[in-house]
């Protein structure tokens, strides 16, 4: 998943959770959370100089 896709999904999740004008859709929240969790496990950790 690209950084752009991650940013889009995070923005949608933020809107679902925090925008009082948006109807809560718990199913969509869980789907987004699962999708956002998956790439972090598959992505290699960033290299830290030290």
């Amino acid at each position: 998943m690209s950084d752009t896709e991650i940013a889009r999904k995070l923005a949608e999740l933020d809107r679902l959770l925090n925008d009082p004008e948006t109807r809560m859709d718990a199913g969509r929240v869980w789907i987004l959370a699962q999708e956002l969790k998956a790439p972090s496990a598959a992505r290699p950790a960033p290299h830290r100089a030290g």
Side-chain angles (χ1 to χ4, degrees), residues 12-33:
E12 182 181 357
L13 184 60
D14 181 61
R15 182 179 50 80
L16 286 168
L17 294 172
N18 297 311
D19 184 357
E21 304 280 321
T22 301
R23 184 179 154 267
M24 171 57 85
D25 182 352
R28 184 67 183 149
V29 169
W30 283 111
I31 289 168
L32 287 166

